[in-house]
Amino acid sequence: MDWDSVAAEDVIEALREVEWSASPRSLAEFFSRFAFPRSFSKWMSRLKCNLYYYRTNYFILLICVLGLALITRPLAILGAALTALSLAFLNDSFAATFNEKMIRTIRHFSPHLAAKMRPPHMPVIRGRSATRKTVYICGQPRLVFVLIGLTASFVLWFMSCGLLWVLYAFTTAILMILLHASLRTPNLKARLNTFREEFRAVWRNYSEL
């Protein structure tokens, strides 16, 4: 795959739609080969490739750094967990899975309430939705839960007096991710995995027509 032709917006869109349920890459593969990129274009191509291929590893690294930094601040740890959950809601697959499990759980106690939490039906024209598909969680647009989770996280961080420390830990984690993504050379397995996921995405879109 030619990552030079892939825009940053396309990478963000792919990370939002791709499955995150896959297990992370092994530590031996994650820390195997490092080298400085030969040019700016090579660096951008490597950065986009690694951010997509090692996405689960980077997410775990972010959580671990925040957890270690906030180990003595329980409220801040809870705020970090809410932040991770809110960011995970931005992924379509995770949001849909969370919504289904919540509705199934609520159905055991109140089937009528669970029926109300079902997302509204979207109009379909020639096999496709008339508008861009909106992801719902418990009957509400996903953005509502994201904003509520981020707001609650900010309040918890403020109450724990660790907001600046959280920002420092978060910045450190982002820098570590960018450094690894910039120096880790893409291997053949990463390229083959990217091609396989591209084929699955194209085939899934074709089957929806």
Side-chain angles (χ1 to χ4, degrees):
M1 177 177 179
D2 184 14
W3 284 95
D4 293 332
S5 59
V6 179
E9 294 80 5
D10 297 330
V11 177
I12 296 175
E13 185 71 14
L15 290 174
R16 188 180 67 85
E17 296 180 354
V18 75
E19 295 283 346
W20 284 67
S21 57
S23 58
R25 314 299 174 185
S26 64
L27 292 178
E29 178 184 351
F30 192 62
F31 294 105
S32 60
R33 295 180 58 188
F34 295 92
F36 287 99
R38 299 178 180 179
S39 62
F40 178 78
S41 61
K42 292 290 185 181
W43 173 70
M44 288 298 298
S45 178
R46 179 185 299 182
L47 184 66
K48 289 180 285 189
C49 178
N50 287 334
L51 286 177
Y52 183 82
Y53 182 68
Y54 294 109
R55 55 186 179 274
T56 307
N57 297 71
Y58 292 146
F59 187 76
I60 294 175
L61 176 62
L62 176 63
I63 298 302
C64 290
V65 171
L66 290 176
L68 291 175
L70 305 175
I71 195 170
T72 59
R73 302 173 185 267
L75 287 179
I77 293 178
L78 182 58
L82 282 176
T83 300
L85 181 62
S86 302
L87 295 178
F89 282 151
L90 295 176
N91 179 258
D92 293 352
S93 177
F94 180 86
T97 303
F98 181 88
N99 177 63
E100 287 298 324
K101 290 185 177 180
M102 286 294 298
I103 292 179
R104 289 177 184 175
T105 303
I106 295 174
R107 188 185 296 128
H108 292 294
F109 304 97
S110 177
H112 181 68
L113 180 60
K116 288 185 176 181
M117 290 183 175
R118 285 291 179 182
H121 295 286
M122 301 295 294
V124 176
I125 300 177
R126 293 184 181 180
R128 286 194 171 186
S129 300
T131 57
R132 183 182 179 86
K133 182 179 178 181
T134 302
V135 179
Y136 287 84
I137 301 177
C138 296
Q140 299 297 323
R142 166 177 53 188
L143 185 60
V144 174
F145 279 81
V146 174
L147 293 177
I148 292 176
L150 293 178
T151 302
S153 302
F154 181 83
V155 172
L156 290 173
W157 289 341
F158 184 80
M159 292 175 59
S160 66
C161 301
L163 183 59
L164 292 178
W165 185 245
V166 168
L167 293 177
Y168 171 76
F170 184 80
T171 302
T172 302
I174 294 299
L175 291 177
M176 292 174 62
I177 292 173
L178 292 177
L179 182 63
H180 180 277
S182 299
L183 299 180
R184 176 65 173 91
T185 56
N187 52 21
L188 179 60
K189 184 178 179 181
R191 297 189 180 98
L192 292 177
N193 183 78
T194 301
F195 279 121
R196 183 170 63 251
E197 293 184 355
E198 281 182 338
F199 174 79
R200 289 176 179 174
V202 172
W203 180 258
R204 183 171 60 251
N205 293 333
Y206 177 77
S207 63
E208 291 176 354
L209 294 178

